[in-house]
Amino acid sequence: MTTLPVRVGAARPDAGGAVGTPAPLPPKQRSRRTSFGTNQWVALAFVAPLIAYLVIFYAFPLYRNIELSLHDYTPRAFVQGNAAFVGIENYVAVFGSKTFPKALANTALFTIVSIAFQFGIGLILAVFFRNNFRLNGVLRGLFLVPWLLPLIVSASTWSSMMNSDNGVINSALAVIGVAPVNWLTSPDLVLASVIIANIWLGIPFNLVVLYSGLQNIPEDLYEAASLDGANAWQKFWRITFPLLRPVSLITILLGLIYTLKVVDIIWIMTAGGPGDSSTTLATWSYREAFGTGNPDFSPAAAVGNVLILIALIFGFIYLRIQNRTEK
Amino acid sequence: MSHRRSWWKTGIGLVLTAVMLFPVYWMINVSFTKTSDLRDSPPNLFPFAPTLDGYTAVLSQQLPYLGTSLLIGLGTVLVTLVISAPAGYALAKLRLRGAAPLTFILLVAQMIPGVVMAMGFYAIYLNSGLLNTVGGLILADSTIAVPFGVLLFTAFMSGIPNELIQAATVDGAGPWRTFRSIILPVSRNSAITVSLFAFLWAWSDFIFASTLSRSGQFLPITLGIYKYIGNNTSQWNAIMATAVVASIPAAILLIVAQRYVAAGVTAGAVKD
C-alpha cells in the first residue's frame, strides 16, 4: 500500500505542464530560450507511438464497426468485400426487434441492481475495515481475490454452484426444506442469478476504492464528534457519508460504465438465455456476431454502437463530476 | 479490554472473508472430488477422498493453452510498456501541446465496450491474416491496458521533481537518455503496477480470445476452459481443476504484489 499515497498525492503538482518551482537555474533558462521549438518535437517523438497506436487500434476498429452497421455484411460479403450499403436500415431493424425492449430492460436491471448492491456492500465493508484489528490487511487482501480471478473461472464456479441437480446452493436450500431452484434455466430467475454472481465480482473494486476514500477523511473529525457525544450511527451519516460523496459518485459511475459492457459473465453462465431472459445489449451484440453458427455482423455492430452511445453518456457525466471535484 | 474488542472484530472479519471466498473454496473442493462423488447429495463439504484425476486431465489437455496464455500475457505487457511509458513522460514532463485532449481521448477509450472492439478487430483481422494468431491477440489485448498505462505513468511522472531532469540536462544527457536512465528507474513501481494489470487482463481475457482466436492452433487458457465446459458439462472436477490452475497467476500476484494491486485499482483501474 505504500505506493498509494505517493501516487494520489503526485497526481496534482505540475498538472498544467508549467514549471512550478521558483528556482530558475541559469542552464535551464538557456535551454529554454534556444530549444523551445525542439522541445515540442521531442515531446511528439515520445508520444508518437501512442498516437499511431490509438489510430490503428482504436480509431480504425471503431470506424470499421460503424461501417459494418451501415452495410449488409453477410459472411460471404465479408470475404469478398462487396457488402451493400443500407444506411440506417440495421438500426431500424434493431430498434424494431422484439429483443430490443427486453435487452434494454435487462441491461438497466442488471446494471442498476448490480451497482446498488456492490456499492452498498462495498461501503459497509470499507467502514468495517476502517477499524483497527488484527489481520485487517490480510483479510482485505483476500477480498481482492474474486476481482483478480479470470471471469471464466468465476463464471464457471457460479454455474457449478447454481446447478439445479447437484449444485451446492440447492443442497444448502434443501437442508432448510426449500425445493430445488432452477437458477440458470428458469426464465424468471436467470437474470437474478447472473446479477448475484456479478455483485460478488464487483464488491472488491468498490471496497478498495471506498476504503482509500475513507483514508482521506481526517481522523480528528471523528475524535471531535466523539467528544461531542456522537454515536457510530451519527458519525457515519454526518461525517463519513457526506465526505465520501465525491468518491462515491465516481465509484458508482465507473461501475455503471463497466457494468454496461459486461459480456463474459452472462455469456458463460447462461448465453443470454433461456430465450432472451438474460440478454443485455452487450450479450445481444455478442450473440449476433459470434454466438451463433450464423454470424450477423451488421445488426451486431448497430447494437454495439447504441451501447457505445449509452456508455458515453455516463462517461461524460463521470468526467464532468471528476473535473468538478478536482477544482 | 480494547485488545479483546479487536479480536472480536477479527472474528467478524474472518467470517465475512469466509463467506466472500466460499465460491473460491468450492472451486478447489470440487477440483479434488472424485467423479463418482460429484453427484452426491448433499455434496461433500470437504474432499475426504481427494483425487488428482481433475488435475491429470488438465495437465494432459490444457498445458499448451497455459503456455499460449503466458506468451500472450508477456507480449501484452511488452506492448503496453513500450507504448505507454514514453507517452506518459511526454504528457507529464515535456509540455506537449494537446496534452489535455489526448488525456480526454484516453479516458473515453476506456469506456468503449469490448464487444464493439472485438467486432472491429475481427473485420480488420479477417482481411489481414491476423485472425487466430498469437500476435493478433496480443495487439487486441493490449488495448485493454494501454490507456490505463498511459494515465498511470502520467500521474506518477508528474510527481517527479523537475530538478532531477534539469540536473541530467546539465550533465549533458539528451531527452532519450534522461528518460532511460532517470525517469524509467524512478518510475519502477508504476511500471510494475502497469505490467501486473496488463498481464492479468490479457491472461483473463475472454471476449477477444473467443472472437479473434476461436479455432487456431494456439488457444489461450480461457478458451480452453470454455471449450472444455462445452464438451464435458458434467466433469466438474476437471473443469474446476482447470479453473484452479488458471487462477494461479492471480494468486501469485496477490501474494507478492498486493500493494501494487491496490494502487492500481484506486488509480482508476477497472476490469473490463
Side-chain angles (χ1 to χ4, degrees):
Chain A
M1 289 299 274
T2 50
T3 50
L4 191 58
V6 178
R7 185 153 306 123
V8 171
R12 283 301 97 210
D14 203 27
V19 184
T21 40
L25 300 163
K28 192 184 79 182
Q29 281 180 331
R30 193 179 61 221
S31 75
R32 189 192 265 171
R33 192 181 54 224
T34 51
S35 58
F36 192 71
T38 336
N39 275 346
Q40 273 308 306
W41 286 111
V42 171
L44 265 179
F46 273 93
V47 88
L50 173 68
I51 290 174
Y53 180 89
L54 287 176
V55 170
I56 301 171
F57 297 108
Y58 268 98
F60 192 36
L62 287 178
Y63 160 76
R64 279 294 273 153
N65 205 59
I66 293 171
E67 205 213 335
L68 282 178
S69 74
L70 297 177
H71 290 78
D72 181 20
Y73 269 95
T74 55
R76 178 182 297 184
F78 232 127
V79 180
Q80 295 174 341
N82 59 352
F85 182 81
V86 295
I88 59 162
E89 245 175 63
N90 287 311
Y91 291 89
V92 174
V94 162
F95 288 125
S97 149
K98 69 173 174 28
T99 305
F100 183 73
K102 184 72 182 162
L104 194 65
N106 282 347
T107 307
L109 265 176
F110 181 77
T111 311
I112 294 167
V113 177
S114 292
I115 299 287
F117 280 92
Q118 288 173 358
F119 179 80
I121 297 171
L123 182 59
I124 293 169
L125 288 168
V127 170
F128 172 74
F129 276 110
R130 203 175 189 277
N131 287 298
N132 250 327
F133 55 83
R134 292 255 179 119
L135 295 178
N136 184 314
V138 176
L139 296 183
R140 231 173 340 109
L142 286 172
F143 259 86
L144 282 174
V145 168
W147 192 81
L148 290 169
L149 292 181
L151 271 173
I152 180 102
V153 168
S154 326
S156 38
T157 304
W158 277 98
S159 294
S160 112
M161 287 172 39
M162 286 175 163
N163 192 300
S164 302
D165 302 327
N166 51 357
V168 64
I169 296 181
N170 275 353
S171 308
L173 289 176
V175 173
I176 54 169
V178 178
V181 179
N182 292 320
W183 296 103
L184 298 177
T185 46
S186 149
D188 302 325
L189 270 177
V190 68
L191 189 65
S193 304
V194 291
I195 289 175
I196 291 172
N198 192 54
I199 290 170
W200 181 79
L201 284 171
I203 289 173
F205 170 70
N206 283 266
L207 165 62
V208 172
V209 177
L210 293 171
Y211 179 82
S212 85
L214 285 179
Q215 300 303 95
N216 291 334
I217 301 179
E219 190 59 41
D220 16 331
L221 281 179
Y222 291 99
E223 282 162 20
S226 299
L227 289 176
D228 290 344
N231 60 30
W233 187 251
Q234 287 168 324
K235 279 190 233 168
F236 177 79
W237 286 110
R238 301 278 169 79
I239 301 174
T240 312
F241 199 71
L243 286 181
L244 206 57
R245 231 180 69 113
V247 178
S248 304
L249 266 175
I250 285 175
T251 314
I252 288 174
L253 277 165
L254 275 179
L256 268 177
I257 296 162
Y258 293 99
T259 311
L260 277 173
K261 343 190 264 190
V262 167
V263 172
D264 340 32
I265 183 93
I266 301 177
W267 186 260
I268 296 159
M269 285 179 74
T270 70
D276 287 335
S277 5
S278 58
T279 296
T280 60
L281 289 173
T283 54
W284 186 21
S285 175
Y286 183 89
R287 183 181 70 196
E288 291 291 316
F290 306 105
T292 61
N294 186 17
D296 231 343
F297 286 97
S298 294
V303 176
N305 289 332
V306 172
L307 190 62
I308 288 190
L309 273 183
I310 300 174
L312 285 184
I313 291 170
F314 288 110
F316 286 123
I317 299 174
Y318 158 75
L319 291 176
R320 280 203 61 153
I321 290 177
Q322 206 191 30
N323 256 334
R324 217 186 311 149
T325 48
E326 275 178 9
K327 270 171 195 158
Chain B
M1 178 65 193
S2 80
H3 195 67
R4 237 188 77 205
R5 265 187 66 179
S6 93
W7 276 108
W8 173 75
K9 281 173 185 162
T10 304
I12 296 185
L14 282 169
V15 171
L16 290 173
T17 313
V19 171
M20 186 70 180
L21 294 190
F22 179 77
V24 180
Y25 170 74
W26 198 248
M27 164 179 87
I28 298 168
N29 177 30
V30 172
S31 74
F32 284 113
T33 305
K34 277 189 191 150
T35 309
S36 56
D37 296 345
L38 277 175
R39 303 192 69 85
D40 279 6
S41 189
N44 299 308
L45 288 175
F46 188 82
F48 286 110
T51 169
L52 289 176
D53 291 356
Y55 289 89
T56 333
V58 179
L59 292 181
S60 62
Q61 296 161 29
Q62 311 269 347
L63 209 54
Y65 302 153
L66 288 167
T68 310
S69 279
L70 193 67
L71 189 64
I72 290 171
L74 294 176
T76 306
V77 169
L78 193 70
V79 172
T80 306
L81 287 180
V82 165
I83 304 271
S84 60
Y89 181 50
L91 285 171
K93 286 294 174 195
L94 296 179
R95 277 170 278 163
L96 176 77
R97 274 184 216 142
L102 190 57
T103 308
F104 179 76
I105 288 172
L106 290 170
L107 287 168
V108 171
Q110 291 181 300
M111 297 164 189
I112 298 164
V115 60
V116 176
M117 294 293 287
M119 273 183 282
F121 274 119
Y122 185 85
I124 295 167
Y125 282 9
L126 193 67
N127 295 325
S128 57
L130 281 169
L131 220 51
N132 301 322
T133 62
V134 171
L137 208 48
I138 288 176
L139 289 171
D141 281 344
S142 70
T143 59
I144 312 172
V146 165
F148 165 74
V150 178
L151 294 171
L152 200 119
F153 274 121
T154 308
F156 179 80
M157 289 173 181
S158 300
I160 297 176
N162 286 321
E163 288 77 4
L164 208 60
I165 299 164
Q166 283 154 14
T169 317
V170 173
D171 289 346
W176 176 248
R177 216 186 126 77
T178 309
F179 173 70
R180 223 193 48 204
S181 24
I182 308 281
I183 303 295
L184 275 188
V186 173
S187 313
R188 212 186 104 240
N189 281 358
S190 312
I192 294 176
T193 306
V194 171
S195 309
L196 199 147
F197 277 89
F199 182 86
L200 216 51
W201 284 331
W203 178 274
S204 316
D205 162 69
F206 173 77
I207 293 192
F208 286 134
S210 68
T211 53
L212 306 176
S213 180
R214 280 193 289 185
S215 51
Q217 196 183 347
F218 304 103
L219 292 183
I221 185 65
T222 46
L223 221 55
I225 301 179
Y226 186 64
K227 293 210 160 180
Y228 201 82
I229 297 174
N231 297 334
N232 310 274
T233 31
S234 56
Q235 285 295 341
W236 281 110
N237 50 4
I239 296 170
M240 289 296 115
T242 319
V244 171
V245 174
S247 310
I248 288 173
I252 293 174
L253 291 177
L254 190 68
I255 294 163
V256 301
Q258 189 194 332
R259 66 198 183 106
Y260 299 106
V261 175
V265 178
T266 40
V270 179
K271 199 174 182 175
D272 200 27

